[in-house]
Amino acid sequence: MCGIVGYIGFRQAKETILTGLKRLEYRGYDSAGIGIVTDEDVEVYKEKGKIEALERLIKNVEIKGTVGIGHTRWATHGVPNQINAHPHQSYSGRYTIVHNGIIENYKELIETYIPNIKRESETDTEVIAHLVDHFSQKGLSTEEAFREVIGKLEGSFAIVLIDGQDTSRLYAAKNKSPLLAGLGQGENMVASDATAMIHVTNTFKELKDGEYVVLDHENLIIKTLDGDVIDRDVYTVDWDTSSVETGAYEHFMLKEIDEQPAVIRNIITQYQDEQGQLNIGRHLQGLAVPSRVYIVACGTSYHAGLVGKRLLEQIAHIPTEVHIASEFLYDQPLIEGDPLFIFISQSGETADSRGVLDQIKKQGYRTLTVTNVQGSTLYREADYKLLTHAGPEIAVASTKAYTAQIAVVALLSIYLAEQKGIAGSIDMFQELRTISTAMDALKDMKDKAKHIVEEYLTDQRSCFFIGRLLDYAVCLEGALKLKEISYIQAEGYAGGELKHGPIALIEDGTPVFVLITDQRIAKNIRSNAEEVVSRGAKTCVIAAEGLHEEGDQWVLPRVHPLLTPLVSVIPLQLIAYYAALERGCDVDKPRNLAKSVTVE
Ligand code: F6R
């Protein structure tokens, strides 16, 4: 949701910022704009719709300058139109601003400080620019005025400001919205995430709530709201522009599906020492084995949590509950013993999960975040953190982050089992190596996925995914993947539950995908499949080798029974992808969805 970029350096700001904004497109937006410092002024261009619309607007305009800001807006206050698009300028025209998030007290601030200001747009953002102008006219320097205003804002924000009277620096600040600083040689940047800056630098500094940053060509200085300079370490990422471009692929989603075997291998490398031993413990120093685990997450990450529960319970013998963050927030279960809260989040910025983290920390419980994004809010604010090392995930539909989350929780389970002295635990690295080979084989079976789509999903409005135990968890994920990108109504159901209601929906030709990877229930789920076939359904059976029967549509390589989701999800991801493609949907940017859901 909303993307933000600020650049100061020697490159042409227009191109540098537009490249950054395109990398943030995955977050979801409905208008875009840039503000560039030129010889004349700070020139602002904005347009409703996609960045291409903005590019068309400025195609024949010469905009030369090496300082600027840019924004993609996902409308909150005010409809998505050209006027409400960012940047916004203050009443005197001196200050130009872009902002992500929601200022909750903007009406009070108007009444208290600038009651007579006429707003151009319906946005809360414009008010921030007017306020900085107001305080600077009262005699404060721009930095002081910026600090003053930041201190008064309530809500979530990431802001970048240009002072038209001194364009040698940019000012930026954040609260509960993502913002990261990127450091170059003779150039500096801020943006919503690293992908938007990777064409300029791979060296970053985290920014935290309650701080602001002043950047010029040479320096990037982080300060507290009292003006004290903060010393912050830099970190580098080991990926480059190819990680954030589709390359030979038509879509990020397919590229990311294909990256999964490499991600699993990378996770092995990241969490194995030179002797081949698990060294995940170095990230968990001081973590006593919990008596209970509560996993909190949303969407696909919640589905990974369902698998995580089985891993923690079966491998580490720790009772584990899995909760949807937005439910937990208002209906906290009774908490027992000395628990650990595990937050699973690709982006590390999901507002619902962040809300629970805040709530739980106030109650003094221990927290661990499993995330793909170093420096994200959930990463920073948890006591312990484990990175999933999946590389940037750009497609809105999560694929490689899901499998990476499961793999990391599997390693965590082994670590906790070792801490508890549970003997005979699994050689997880070996099992994960087997998984990566199995994934390699599956990703090369794209023709099979295409044929299944042609046979089952060309013109269907709804379908079912059924499975039991871990297969049920994967069915939920398969159904989510299909519905979010192809808009086919898809239900993931526990096979045994069908007869308790949903079987009423089965009619002639209803596609039912049946997952079978667990010997214990192989017969039962086949009976459930029979039940729907006899009511007209058309089943597509995806079964593990050894459990398959003649006529099954897809046979999966055999892997460790606790890790089957890592392979069984791949056909479902591919089927969702080709179904969306077949229906002409925008695969990487499905309607109404944002990659990083930073509002509750
Ligand atoms: C679905 C999807 C979403 C996210 C959910 C949580 O493909 O991507 O369901 O899983 O919005 O996001 P994170 O994992 O960033 O907390």
Side-chain angles (χ1 to χ4, degrees):
M1 293 185 162
C2 294
I4 194 165
V5 181
Y7 175 79
I8 184 160
F10 51 82
R11 301 170 204 243
Q12 283 305 316
K14 181 182 94 179
E15 284 76 22
T16 311
I17 289 168
L18 284 173
T19 303
L21 290 181
K22 284 183 189 161
R23 302 255 167 78
L24 296 175
E25 278 194 297
Y26 72 92
R27 301 169 70 84
Y29 70 104
D30 37 44
S31 61
I34 52 169
I36 307 290
V37 176
T38 65
D39 287 345
E40 308 295 315
D41 209 345
V42 180
E43 294 184 30
V44 170
Y45 300 90
K46 46 196 193 174
E47 192 57 288
K48 182 180 171 194
K50 297 284 175 199
I51 293 172
E52 290 80 61
L54 173 66
E55 285 181 314
R56 277 196 297 279
L57 178 79
I58 56 180
K59 199 164 130 225
N60 299 318
V61 190
E62 181 157 293
I63 313 168
K64 291 228 169 298
T66 60
V67 179
I69 55 182
H71 191 262
T72 48
R73 173 173 187 255
W74 192 80
T76 54
H77 289 73
V79 294
N81 63 17
Q82 199 263 345
I83 292 175
N84 289 333
H86 302 205
H88 291 283
Q89 293 189 298
S90 63
Y91 55 87
S92 75
R94 176 171 173 181
Y95 293 102
T96 308
I97 196 166
V98 286
H99 157 232
N100 292 350
I102 295 173
I103 305 301
E104 285 156 8
N105 62 336
Y106 78 98
K107 287 191 181 140
E108 292 90 308
L109 290 169
I110 295 175
E111 271 167 37
T112 313
Y113 297 103
I114 44 175
N116 301 320
I117 289 297
K118 192 178 159 310
R119 281 194 293 153
E120 300 262 316
S121 71
E122 300 161 90
T123 67
D124 47 348
T125 301
E126 199 191 316
V127 176
I128 310 171
H130 296 321
L131 284 168
V132 177
D133 213 333
H134 166 80
F135 284 107
S136 84
Q137 295 206 8
K138 291 223 164 299
L140 299 188
S141 68
T142 294
E143 184 172 336
E144 289 164 343
F146 184 66
R147 207 160 64 200
E148 185 74 23
V149 173
I150 295 304
K152 295 189 186 317
L153 300 179
E154 287 170 17
S156 59
F157 54 83
I159 296 170
V160 194
L161 176 90
I162 303 177
D163 174 0
Q165 288 180 12
D166 176 6
T167 55
S168 64
R169 58 191 67 182
L170 295 175
Y171 304 85
K174 76 175 283 300
N175 187 49
K176 297 187 198 155
S177 281
L179 189 70
L180 184 67
L183 289 84
Q185 302 280 331
E187 55 184 345
N188 286 305
M189 273 187 102
V190 282
S192 304
D193 68 30
T195 62
M197 299 185 270
I198 200 72
H199 53 305
V200 172
T201 181
N202 68 349
T203 305
F204 303 102
K205 268 190 189 183
E206 287 176 12
L207 301 175
K208 298 187 179 172
D209 296 350
E211 301 174 348
Y212 70 99
V213 57
V214 183
L215 43 156
D216 61 28
H217 295 70
E218 299 299 336
N219 303 299
L220 193 148
I221 300 170
I222 304 173
K223 297 185 181 180
T224 65
L225 289 188
D226 294 325
D228 298 330
V229 174
I230 297 171
D231 198 17
R232 174 87 27 86
D233 288 344
V234 298
Y235 70 90
T236 55
V237 295
D238 60 0
W239 34 273
D240 57 23
T241 45
S242 66
S243 319
V244 292
E245 282 165 3
T246 46
Y249 287 86
E250 203 184 331
H251 296 104
F252 280 109
M253 183 177 176
L254 194 60
K255 178 173 182 250
E256 289 161 6
I257 290 173
D258 276 6
E259 282 170 355
Q260 291 177 104
V263 169
I264 298 296
R265 288 191 274 270
N266 191 30
I267 289 171
I268 296 173
T269 312
Q270 296 290 340
Y271 290 114
Q272 191 176 44
D273 66 15
E274 280 163 12
Q275 284 70 46
Q277 300 302 309
L278 180 66
N279 65 6
I280 205 168
R282 69 203 154 104
H283 304 285
L284 303 169
Q285 297 286 324
L287 174 68
V289 175
S291 58
R292 196 172 192 88
V293 166
Y294 294 82
I295 294 177
V296 180
C298 312
T300 289
S301 297
Y302 168 77
H303 295 157
L306 296 175
V307 180
K309 169 185 163 71
R310 301 309 199 293
L311 294 166
L312 286 158
E313 291 191 336
Q314 301 292 318
I315 299 173
H317 303 177
I318 301 176
T320 301
E321 295 178 21
V322 195
H323 291 271
I324 294 171
S326 54
E327 291 289 304
F328 189 106
L329 207 48
Y330 299 99
D331 188 16
Q332 182 171 316
L334 285 176
I335 297 173
E336 281 187 350
D338 183 22
L340 173 68
F341 281 80
I342 301 182
F343 295 83
I344 303 183
S345 172
Q346 189 286 128
S347 62
E349 297 294 349
T350 302
D352 294 323
S353 302
R354 276 178 9 217
V356 180
L357 180 76
D358 275 358
Q359 186 169 306
I360 280 309
K361 281 186 68 166
K362 284 189 193 123
Q363 295 167 38
Y365 294 115
R366 295 171 298 165
T367 55
L368 159 67
T369 289
V370 175
T371 184
N372 201 27
V373 182
Q374 183 167 2
S376 59
T377 308
L378 286 163
Y379 175 92
R380 280 199 321 272
E381 294 185 354
D383 302 320
Y384 303 95
K385 22 242 166 187
L386 293 174
L387 283 172
T388 47
H389 296 290
E393 190 181 66
I394 311 282
V396 163
S398 186
T399 53
K400 63 176 178 172
Y402 169 82
T403 41
Q405 289 163 348
I406 294 172
V408 170
V409 176
L411 293 174
L412 171 67
S413 306
I414 296 289
Y415 170 78
L416 291 172
E418 285 173 2
Q419 295 298 299
K420 286 179 80 172
I422 296 172
S425 86
I426 305 162
D427 181 351
M428 191 54 81
F429 287 127
Q430 186 47 45
E431 297 301 342
L432 288 177
R433 273 189 282 275
T434 306
I435 294 278
S436 69
T437 311
M439 285 175 157
D440 271 325
L442 287 168
K443 77 179 175 59
D444 290 337
M445 296 172 81
K446 298 191 174 71
D447 282 345
K448 186 183 275 296
K450 277 186 220 165
H451 289 141
I452 288 176
V453 166
E454 279 158 22
E455 197 182 331
Y456 289 84
L457 293 174
T458 41
D459 54 6
Q460 294 294 333
R461 284 194 55 245
S462 64
C463 76
F464 278 90
F465 290 77
I466 62 167
R468 301 175 81 139
L469 312 179
L470 278 176
D471 293 337
Y472 167 44
V474 179
C475 283
L476 293 174
E477 175 57 10
L480 175 62
K481 222 69 319 163
L482 186 67
K483 71 182 110 179
E484 70 182 322
I485 60 167
S486 74
Y487 316 138
I488 297 170
Q489 170 134 27
E491 295 267 5
Y493 241 89
E497 272 293 290
L498 282 176
K499 57 187 176 294
H500 298 294
I503 203 162
L505 293 173
I506 301 291
E507 48 192 38
D508 264 357
T510 305
V512 178
F513 293 90
V514 185
L515 261 196
I516 312 176
T517 70
D518 190 322
Q519 177 144 31
R520 291 170 298 164
I521 47 72
K523 280 207 176 73
N524 316 56
I525 187 74
R526 285 211 185 261
S527 307
N528 300 143
E530 281 308 316
E531 286 155 18
V532 292
V533 168
S534 55
R535 285 156 181 87
K538 190 167 169 192
T539 53
C540 173
V541 178
I542 301 172
E545 202 180 339
L547 302 178
H548 68 288
E549 288 182 2
E550 190 153 347
D552 287 352
Q553 278 67 20
W554 201 321
V555 181
L556 300 170
R558 202 88 206 238
V559 296
H560 191 284
L562 282 173
L563 300 175
T564 54
L566 293 175
V567 297
S568 61
V569 78
I570 291 183
L572 307 191
Q573 293 170 342
L574 287 170
I575 289 168
Y577 174 79
Y578 286 110
L581 208 60
E582 166 82 23
R583 290 169 176 239
C585 302
D586 188 347
V587 175
D588 283 340
K589 287 172 258 154
R591 70 185 180 208
N592 306 340
L593 293 178
K595 181 73 180 162
S596 185
V597 187
T598 50
V599 295
E600 224 193 83

